[in-house]
Amino acid sequence: MSKLKQRGGYLISISLMVLCLVWITYFNGDQHYLILSLLCLVFSMLPFYWHFEMKRSEAREIVFLAVLATMAAMGRVAMAAFPDVKPTSFIVIVTALALGPESGFIVGSTAAIVSNLFLGQGPWTPWQMFAWGMMGVTAGLLRNLKWAHQRGWLATLGIIYGFLFGWIMDLWYALVYVQPLNAKTFVAAFAASFYFDLVHGVTTAVLLFCFYKSWYRIITRYKYKYGLMDAREELERSSF
Amino acid sequence: MAMDANTGRPIRHPRHLVIEQLNPWVLLTYYVAVVGCAMVFIHPVFLGTMLILMVGVNLVGRSGHRVLMTLEGSVFMVAFIMVLNPLVNNRGAHVIWTFGGVLITVEAVMYGLLMALSLVIVLLTFISYNQYLTSQKFMYLFSRFSPKLTLLTMMTLRFVPLFIKRFKGIIQAQSLRGIEVEQGGFRQRSISLVKLMAVLLEDSFDRALQTADAMSARGYASHKRTSFQRYRFTQRDLVWLLWLLLLSGSCFFEASQGIGRLVIYPSLGQMGLSVEGWLVLLEVAILVSFPMILEGWEWGWWHLLKHGI
Amino acid sequence: MVALVETRHLNFEYALSDHKSLSDVTLSVEAGAFIVIAGPSGSGKTTLLRQLKPELQPVGKRTGEILFNGHPINELGTVVSAQSIGMVFQSPDDQLVMDNVIQELAFSLENVGMSSGDIQRRIAELASFLGLQDLLYEDVTNLSGGQKQLVNLASVLILRPKLLLLDEPTAQLDPIATKSFMSLLQRIHEELGITIVMTEHVLDDVLPLADQLWFIRAGEITDTNTVSDTLGHLWQQPDARLFVPDVPYVFLNNQLTQTSGLPLTVVAGRRELREGKAKFKRPVIATAKEPVRRNWAVNLTHVAFEYDRNGNYVLDDLNLKVPENDWLAIIGKNGTGKTTLLKVMMGLLTPRRGTAKLLGKRVNSWHQQSLYQQVSFLSQTPSDYFSYDTVMAEFVARAEQLGLTDPKQAAQEMLTRLDLVSLANQNPHDASGGEQQLIALGILLLSAPSVLLLDEPTKGLDPVRRQRLGKILKRLQQERGVTIVMVSHDMAFSARFADHCTLLFDGQIVSQAEPHQFFAENFFYTTATNRLMRDLVPNLITREEVAVVE
């Protein structure tokens, strides 16, 4: 039963996905890009939220994530005076590399909601939640690879993430408001946002290059100080 | 949901509107219905009416200034949609212009225009949404489904202004010990700001440990959490909710029958509206004017009361 | 009578630590008791308190028994433990979780799975008991420190605990807020019969309420007696003597006769003094020779300051002159603009009107970094000054930045001077509050400033560290000619160490005088010693000064 509860998110996601496929194949669902795309967002994020909601976590874990999410959200809210420098992506990536995909996802998507609570929600909010959330997930999956922690590679990763993020954000209005959707549409949309994505990517790359090490060290240090995740068992093993 | 980043408090408005007193679920229903209508009724008359009404709703909420700011900010996106549609779409019967194999058709231009209009209405709706559906109401809606995530979001929301304040203190303290962020070029300054954010991170982790302890001490994670519901669902809320549901249900049903939707492809259809079309337009107008109706009602009540005494 | 909480031969050692933090602690708390645990910082007070709350027991090796109502404490269910044992911590800000008061109160009850209706009822009831009605919908950020701590206490009380643990709950509050928090505790204890165990190192206000005073030192409980017995025993030990509050200190120090036990309050002390009929010496007040013409280290003329354009002047036509090599204490309750005054002095805030001069030069005409080398400002949050991983690295980095010839040497000297050698390789964030204060001070002192501006330097320090800080600062003043301007609500500290005191009220400097004269003229804003002695010798202000005529 508890296993079912834990995995419930996946089940719902998969059944939603099947329903969508049926809808597309038999009922011309592919005409309704918006609904379809929002459904896609929901079933890609649901398993993470579900798992987070269902698992038992201590106050320390919640607070720890809240601090990181605040730093990331603050990157957008407080740096309004510096339009080019938005350390949000940097913080999401570092968190993910230090703590793993789930934490990365939670920090990324929470930062998106919260910063929009200050800057104003809009139809873009779910897309930003998705974009930063997935940035956290994918970066978190890389964390066991050695090269993912080297500055040069990280900088490249930063630029790639800058563009991927921009492309996802282009999607939300291209999908709904442009018809028909074809390669040309996307190329035009991507070209239009090229400069912004480049700046975003370069900033993230520079920040990762300069500050990755020190931030990674701080997060890891406090992971042990808080006794989070596997840290507690490791400590107990080493002291007895 | 506009918040002041310095104080973290919702930006206060001089007087309370009726819509602010309604249950958040009623508000949410209204905004979902309006956004739905803006996306479904792709017709110049419908969209034009909704645009005017939505501007009116925002004026009643005294956010005219924000409307201008938003319109200014979305010029790029609107233009992009208007230009891109005809460029990538060769469908349509009436060709205006051809160059290098690209056909520009009346239909595609019309589609682009209508889509841009629809986007502007959605953006205007969100201005009003941000104003009335405050962060606390948002959390209330949220907490039903996901108490833990709501808690996390709530804490983060509270931390942001706190951290900004602390960050200012850190910038000051660091400059007193000789570490400057105000020097150098723009990029240089930004980079040193991020460097100081590491100091803030450590400091905040330290303090947050006590927050975590205070939470555990008060039984966090000892039991399945319940959620204390602050907003009551009154009879008035029920009446308005039913009203909104009926109205929007009927609108969407008519839309699915093709009423109020301009036929664009393959060939631009009739602009004119049937009798049924005008009725649906009236329904949509009443739906969108919801906050104005509430306000008018209130005004009338006080007005009549004053004269009655 | 069965004890509510008991420990038997409790030992505790933190993970990765090489010594016991608690050793062989055997104690028993009876239901309905009010117990104060005192001891120097780092003696294990907090560690002991946390052992009594299963959720907060630190990671480490524990032997011995802890019983709650006769059963092992760790066998309490999580919900039962949350409800029957409440704990309030030091920092008013960091304990808050939600965004407004009613949500904060509801948070505790939501955690234990209570229904919305029950939550509402409990909030209604508690709000009436504590008089919180008007605050219920207030944002927690708008509350004062004292109000925040009240909310923190309320959100524990709402669970209806049997045992209330408090870890230095008033360390961050000003004297007025401290007193109202204490009177609330008294009500809770007397009207609700809740058992209270509280750690504290400033004992003046709390001892009159307590049944017992326990003393802990290096992990060992040395006293578990009634208040006057423990105080008498502490008096025998030179290093614990500092913990004895002013009124009993005067009595013990002068071996005054006590007809009805050791007095703890001013009123009890005065009664004893009237009956004892002892005669006291007048204090010797050193009047420094005022040179004909002195240079002003700080000179503010007609300074006005407001934060918003609302015409609420925090400082209003304020004039203040501080001569070089003086130590001035600016006293006043929280929220009167003391910190603002220091920041205006330092040029961190620009006055709306008037001029601020430092060392004879207008603040805004100074080159910023050379000003910051000449004049140092230490804020209430020393951790804001840290940037490196070890204390040594902090000092070396600052020394290098100043271009000192031998940075390592300079850093080493500073460590020695401030008695921080043992912390050299520690992360400054891991140091205790008092140590962090000294580390930040060390960073600032490396540039050998001639003026020091200090914002509440004694906040949260235990009496031993308080005295040590006072002595270090005094030495700086005497040996290096440093001018010190300090903002504080610690009147005993100001009376003991400052050369002049002044009161800030309603945006203006109200009086500026030598401490004896200053406090003798005040009626409310004065030291406990002065309040005790003023009928006999009006200008006695520190407890060390009180002496009987033979």
Side-chain angles (χ1 to χ4, degrees):
Chain A
M1 189 61 204
S2 67
K3 201 133 202 182
L4 190 70
K5 250 185 163 173
Q6 291 269 318
R7 298 283 155 85
Y10 293 104
L11 287 178
I12 296 180
S13 281
I14 290 167
S15 39
L16 258 176
M17 226 182 298
V18 171
L19 275 176
C20 279
L21 284 175
V22 172
W23 189 38
I24 293 171
T25 340
Y26 298 102
F27 302 96
N28 287 337
D30 51 340
Q31 299 291 309
H32 302 83
Y33 296 119
L34 176 71
I35 300 177
L36 207 59
S37 62
L38 284 177
L39 281 175
C40 284
L41 289 191
V42 170
F43 63 61
S44 57
M45 296 199 281
L46 193 80
F48 294 101
Y49 279 134
W50 190 284
H51 185 250
F52 178 73
E53 191 63 47
M54 288 302 166
K55 78 170 181 188
R56 232 187 95 87
S57 47
E58 279 183 51
R60 290 183 169 214
E61 205 171 317
I62 302 276
V63 173
F64 195 76
L65 292 178
V67 168
L68 286 164
T70 309
M71 297 297 292
M74 206 184 108
R76 282 186 80 211
V77 179
M79 303 289 194
F82 300 87
D84 282 2
V85 184
K86 300 268 160 63
T88 309
S89 303
F90 160 71
I91 296 169
V92 172
I93 295 170
V94 178
T95 305
L97 284 170
L99 302 174
E102 194 185 42
S103 306
F105 174 81
I106 296 292
V107 168
S109 60
T110 308
I113 304 187
V114 172
S115 58
N116 283 334
L117 283 169
F118 288 91
L119 303 171
Q121 302 286 10
W124 49 80
T125 306
W127 295 88
Q128 281 176 343
M129 285 165 65
F130 173 79
W132 270 314
M134 285 305 144
M135 190 184 283
V137 172
T138 47
L141 291 175
L142 297 177
R143 79 188 183 122
N144 290 325
L145 304 173
K146 232 182 186 156
W147 60 263
H149 297 272
Q150 286 159 6
R151 319 210 278 178
W153 284 105
L154 273 171
T156 323
L157 207 64
I159 291 186
I160 294 173
Y161 273 128
F163 280 102
L164 284 178
F165 183 87
W167 291 348
I168 292 175
M169 293 316 293
D170 289 337
L171 273 177
W172 83 259
Y173 63 96
L175 271 181
V176 190
Y177 295 106
V178 182
Q179 221 190 16
L181 275 180
N182 52 29
K184 249 199 315 195
T185 318
F186 288 117
V187 170
F190 296 161
S193 67
F194 181 81
Y195 174 74
F196 298 101
D197 300 342
L198 183 69
V199 170
H200 181 200
V202 169
T203 316
T204 311
V206 170
L207 293 179
L208 280 171
F209 190 82
C210 300
F211 301 122
Y212 175 73
K213 251 194 177 157
S214 58
W215 281 65
Y216 182 84
R217 210 175 47 225
I218 294 173
I219 296 177
T220 318
R221 186 165 99 81
Y222 279 92
K223 185 176 107 177
Y224 286 106
K225 193 164 168 183
Y226 275 58
L228 284 188
M229 294 149 204
D230 41 358
R232 209 169 253 246
E233 287 91 67
E234 272 176 49
L235 265 183
E236 266 164 18
R237 236 177 294 128
S238 66
S239 61
F240 299 118
Chain B
M1 212 171 310
M3 310 252 302
D4 186 337
N6 286 320
T7 61
R9 268 171 264 157
I11 294 162
R12 282 195 194 280
H13 296 279
R15 64 205 166 97
H16 269 284
L17 299 176
V18 190
I19 192 166
E20 292 173 82
Q21 302 161 12
L22 295 182
N23 187 282
W25 285 109
V26 182
L27 284 180
L28 186 71
T29 313
Y30 167 71
Y31 289 114
V32 169
V34 173
V35 169
C37 284
M39 314 208 62
V40 164
F41 293 104
I42 303 300
H43 191 290
V45 180
F46 275 79
L47 289 177
T49 314
M50 279 157 73
L51 180 69
I52 293 168
L53 288 174
M54 216 51 229
V55 171
V57 166
N58 277 308
L59 287 180
V60 168
R62 304 226 167 142
S63 39
H65 180 64
R66 282 186 157 263
V67 171
L68 288 179
M69 268 169 44
T70 307
L71 290 182
E72 214 180 284
S74 59
V75 163
F76 174 77
M77 233 167 1
V78 170
F80 181 78
I81 288 168
M82 285 207 298
V83 173
L84 194 64
N85 265 300
L87 281 182
V88 298
N89 194 349
N90 317 335
R91 284 200 291 164
H94 306 82
V95 177
I96 314 174
W97 196 32
T98 57
F99 63 94
V102 180
L103 301 174
I104 304 286
T105 67
V106 176
E107 282 77 9
V109 170
M110 191 59 171
Y111 186 81
L113 259 172
L114 290 180
M115 282 299 155
L117 209 54
S118 162
L119 173 67
V120 170
I121 295 169
V122 171
L123 294 178
L124 291 182
T125 312
F126 268 103
I127 298 177
S128 168
Y129 168 96
N130 284 325
Q131 182 179 353
Y132 298 132
L133 217 88
T134 58
S135 51
Q136 280 170 8
K137 293 182 188 169
F138 178 78
M139 290 301 156
Y140 161 83
L141 295 175
F142 220 41
S143 62
R144 271 278 155 94
F145 307 109
S146 177
K148 201 191 220 173
L149 207 62
T150 310
L151 178 67
L152 176 68
T153 312
M154 196 104 138
M155 288 181 76
T156 309
L157 188 65
R158 198 177 68 79
F159 278 166
V160 170
L162 201 70
F163 278 32
I164 292 178
K165 203 170 136 200
R166 277 189 211 155
F167 194 42
K168 285 181 183 156
I170 288 175
I171 292 175
Q172 210 165 60
Q174 295 282 335
S175 94
L176 290 169
R177 66 162 291 187
I179 297 177
E180 277 293 341
V181 289
E182 302 295 330
Q183 282 167 359
F186 177 75
R187 293 276 150 81
Q188 174 81 42
R189 281 205 314 258
S190 318
I191 297 280
S192 27
L193 269 183
V194 177
K195 192 169 177 184
L196 286 194
M197 279 180 85
V199 181
L200 175 66
L201 182 70
E202 277 191 88
D203 188 38
S204 304
F205 273 145
D206 273 326
R207 287 160 176 254
L209 260 175
Q210 201 173 87
T211 312
D213 284 344
M215 285 166 71
S216 327
R218 284 156 63 193
Y220 184 79
S222 67
H223 193 273
K224 191 173 158 31
R225 262 177 81 71
T226 49
S227 171
F228 172 53
Q229 304 295 338
R230 281 177 48 192
Y231 296 95
R232 254 163 286 175
F233 200 85
T234 63
Q235 197 172 359
R236 175 170 74 163
D237 293 317
L238 185 67
V239 170
W240 285 121
L241 185 66
L242 286 176
W243 160 263
L244 286 174
L245 285 177
L246 277 174
L247 215 54
S248 52
S250 129
C251 286
F252 291 130
F253 175 73
E254 300 288 345
S256 72
Q257 304 298 308
I259 294 167
R261 292 166 63 92
L262 186 65
V263 178
I264 298 177
Y265 299 119
S267 169
L268 202 60
Q270 276 294 322
M271 287 277 192
L273 290 171
S274 61
V275 180
E276 233 183 332
W278 284 108
L279 279 177
V280 176
L281 179 63
L282 187 66
E283 272 185 277
V284 171
I286 293 176
L287 178 68
V288 176
S289 336
F290 177 61
M292 293 196 274
I293 295 172
L294 288 176
E295 241 12 73
W297 190 286
E298 189 78 357
W299 183 85
W301 167 260
W302 287 109
H303 202 76
L304 293 176
L305 187 76
K306 219 171 165 181
H307 284 266
I309 292 169
Chain C
M1 192 168 176
V2 70
L4 183 63
V5 186
E6 247 180 300
T7 69
R8 291 185 195 143
H9 307 293
L10 177 66
N11 289 285
F12 181 75
E13 191 179 319
Y14 277 99
L16 306 183
S17 162
D18 53 356
H19 65 278
K20 281 184 183 173
S21 292
L22 292 176
S23 59
D24 199 32
V25 174
T26 298
L27 48 82
S28 125
V29 179
E30 273 168 19
F34 190 140
I35 291 165
V36 175
I37 305 177
S41 309
S43 59
K45 294 197 298 283
T46 305
T47 312
L48 174 59
L49 217 51
R50 279 169 179 266
Q51 301 296 337
L52 308 182
K53 176 80 176 155
E55 295 92 327
L56 299 177
Q57 285 172 349
V59 183
K61 194 152 67 176
R62 178 177 17 258
T63 58
E65 273 185 301
I66 312 171
L67 304 176
F68 185 81
N69 264 338
H71 300 286
I73 203 163
N74 290 64
E75 288 173 14
L76 287 179
T78 48
V79 176
V80 178
S81 152
Q83 297 201 8
S84 31
I85 307 172
M87 181 149 180
V88 176
F89 303 80
Q90 197 182 100
S91 157
D93 285 293
D94 297 336
Q95 296 175 65
L96 297 164
V97 183
M98 307 303 260
D99 59 353
N100 66 15
V101 176
I102 192 165
Q103 293 290 97
E104 191 67 36
L105 296 179
F107 175 79
S108 316
L109 301 173
E110 289 172 336
N111 288 337
V112 295
M114 206 166 270
S115 72
S116 254
D118 291 343
I119 292 179
Q120 191 131 28
R121 205 190 62 229
R122 282 213 185 179
I123 291 178
E125 200 194 16
L126 187 75
S128 323
F129 181 77
L130 297 179
L132 279 174
Q133 299 92 325
D134 298 336
L135 290 182
L136 276 187
Y137 290 94
E138 197 64 51
D139 261 17
V140 290
T141 40
N142 295 345
L143 304 179
S144 69
Q147 285 173 324
K148 281 179 188 161
Q149 202 62 317
L150 171 66
V151 171
N152 291 328
L153 179 61
S155 50
V156 167
L157 282 181
I158 203 160
L159 289 165
R160 303 181 179 166
K162 294 191 175 68
L163 171 66
L164 185 59
L165 307 171
L166 301 128
D167 190 11
E168 296 181 20
T170 60
Q172 308 282 325
L173 305 183
D174 71 30
I176 312 274
T178 301
K179 285 192 168 52
S180 65
F181 189 85
M182 289 301 174
S183 59
L184 188 63
L185 276 188
Q186 186 174 21
R187 253 186 90 199
I188 290 165
H189 180 231
E190 285 173 4
E191 291 180 26
L192 305 177
I194 294 176
T195 311
I196 297 178
V197 178
M198 173 171 170
T199 65
E200 191 59 82
H201 45 233
V202 180
L203 302 173
D204 297 79
D205 292 313
V206 69
L207 287 191
L209 314 178
D211 307 328
Q212 291 182 19
L213 172 64
W214 296 357
F215 199 77
I216 183 168
R217 175 183 289 170
E220 280 180 67
I221 290 265
T222 56
D223 295 83
T224 53
N225 286 320
T226 59
V227 174
S228 47
D229 286 355
T230 305
L231 286 179
H233 186 225
L234 292 185
W235 184 255
Q236 313 296 324
Q237 311 158 43
D239 56 335
R241 208 172 258 200
L242 286 172
F243 283 88
V244 178
D246 285 358
V247 176
Y249 188 101
V250 167
F251 278 79
L252 291 168
N253 197 18
N254 295 290
Q255 292 159 351
L256 297 173
T257 49
Q258 307 142 21
T259 50
S260 45
L262 188 60
L264 299 171
T265 60
V266 170
V267 64
R270 284 186 170 205
R271 199 183 306 127
E272 293 287 350
L273 286 181
R274 274 196 302 273
E275 283 171 16
K277 295 196 175 67
K279 292 259 185 304
F280 294 91
K281 285 183 193 157
R282 300 191 159 273
V284 190
I285 301 167
T287 41
K289 270 183 283 173
E290 297 283 332
V292 191
R293 186 160 170 270
R294 286 176 80 173
N295 292 323
W296 304 117
V298 177
N299 188 353
L300 304 181
T301 42
H302 304 293
V303 164
F305 182 84
E306 57 182 346
Y307 277 99
D308 312 305
R309 251 177 71 181
N310 57 12
N312 278 340
Y313 283 97
V314 183
L315 305 178
D316 193 5
D317 196 40
L318 179 142
N319 294 296
L320 177 66
K321 286 190 172 78
V322 186
E324 277 180 1
N325 202 15
D326 191 33
W327 182 336
L328 176 72
I330 302 170
I331 294 173
K333 116 186 212 340
N334 277 6
T336 47
K338 299 196 303 289
T339 301
T340 310
L341 175 60
L342 279 193
K343 286 189 174 171
V344 167
M345 236 178 248
M346 191 67 198
L348 297 173
L349 296 171
T350 315
R352 188 78 174 70
R353 282 190 286 279
T355 51
K357 283 186 185 171
L358 278 175
L359 300 168
K361 201 163 145 188
R362 287 179 89 130
V363 173
N364 48 12
S365 64
W366 274 90
H367 175 255
Q368 191 167 310
Q369 277 310 317
S370 67
L371 171 66
Y372 292 168
Q373 288 172 22
Q374 294 274 311
V375 183
S376 288
F377 172 73
L378 182 58
S379 79
Q380 288 184 39
T381 39
S383 61
D384 286 355
Y385 292 80
F386 302 157
S387 265
Y388 296 86
D389 286 344
T390 64
V391 177
M392 188 69 184
E394 296 278 2
F395 286 4
V396 171
R398 179 58 175 154
E400 278 170 356
Q401 193 189 29
L402 289 166
L404 302 185
T405 41
D406 191 353
K408 285 242 167 74
Q409 174 72 25
Q412 199 63 50
E413 276 173 19
M414 188 57 71
L415 285 173
T416 323
R417 175 130 54 100
L418 298 181
D419 203 5
L420 291 172
V421 181
S422 58
L423 298 180
N425 294 314
Q426 230 188 49
N427 190 309
H429 286 274
D430 290 338
S432 75
E435 289 158 353
Q436 289 194 349
Q437 190 103 29
L438 285 180
I439 296 167
L441 188 65
I443 296 173
L444 295 176
L445 287 179
L446 278 165
S447 65
S450 46
V451 181
L452 259 182
L453 308 181
L454 306 171
D455 193 359
E456 299 288 358
T458 60
K459 194 165 158 181
L461 299 191
D462 70 29
V464 180
R465 277 156 220 272
R466 196 173 290 224
Q467 187 168 19
R468 194 174 76 171
L469 179 73
K471 285 185 174 158
I472 288 174
L473 291 174
K474 199 80 210 170
R475 213 166 56 222
L476 276 172
Q477 187 198 5
Q478 285 164 350
E479 290 171 9
R480 306 204 158 200
V482 174
T483 312
I484 298 173
V485 179
M486 153 182 107
V487 145
S488 180
H489 43 231
D490 185 342
M491 280 168 289
F493 185 80
S494 306
R496 166 102 195 265
F497 291 103
D499 297 329
H500 291 94
C501 293
T502 181
L503 188 66
L504 181 68
F505 177 74
D506 198 22
Q508 290 185 324
I509 290 291
V510 176
S511 62
Q512 188 172 349
E514 195 279 332
H516 293 88
Q517 195 190 342
F518 177 84
F519 286 113
E521 280 170 13
N522 286 354
F523 187 67
F524 302 103
Y525 253 101
T526 181
T527 58
T529 310
N530 183 249
R531 271 180 276 145
L532 174 71
M533 303 301 299
R534 67 185 318 145
D535 283 351
L536 302 169
V537 187
N539 56 359
L540 270 176
I541 56 170
T542 65
R543 58 189 189 183
E544 291 83 1
E545 282 171 347
V546 181
V548 184
V549 180
E550 297 299 329

